[in-house]
Amino acid sequence: MALPSVGSVMRVAILSLSVVGLLSGRLVVAGQDSGSVIPAESRPCVDCHAFEFMQRALQDLKKTAYSLDTRTETLLLRAEKRGLCDCFHAVH
């Protein structure tokens, strides 16, 4: 039995993918038609959502940085105090 050539296999694959693509495209359009349509004026744009997301992320980062800065400062003060107390006890 002879094997089919690579060219004929490629043509069948491309034809099959085209048919599947056309059918799925029609299903998507049919699914969109059945839902309610929201006017463009009332829908926020994608850029607005991205901007709001980035603003919230930046605020979270600022809070985290401030928290870490405060904790670092507290730990440094504790270490300095501990060092001073150790020196004070060693002298007296």
Side-chain angles (χ1 to χ4, degrees):
M1 181 184 226
L3 294 175
S5 69
V6 175
S8 64
V9 170
M10 290 299 289
R11 276 188 236 125
V12 170
I14 291 172
L15 181 63
S16 299
L17 287 174
S18 299
V19 169
V20 170
L22 287 173
L23 289 175
S24 65
R26 287 184 182 169
L27 290 175
V28 168
V29 170
Q32 289 176 348
D33 291 341
S34 63
S36 62
V37 177
I38 300 172
E41 298 83 32
S42 64
R43 288 180 293 183
C45 63
V46 174
D47 291 339
C48 297
H49 283 302
F51 182 74
E52 289 171 359
F53 174 79
M54 293 303 290
Q55 271 188 321
R56 285 193 301 270
L58 184 59
Q59 288 172 352
D60 290 344
L61 285 173
K62 285 181 180 178
K63 288 178 186 175
T64 303
Y66 178 77
S67 175
L68 288 173
D69 189 41
T70 304
R71 289 178 62 197
T72 303
E73 223 174 285
T74 303
L75 290 173
L76 285 174
L77 288 173
R78 282 185 192 168
E80 288 177 7
K81 182 180 176 184
R82 196 173 291 147
L84 287 173
C85 290
D86 289 344
C87 283
F88 183 73
H89 290 300
V91 173
H92 293 349

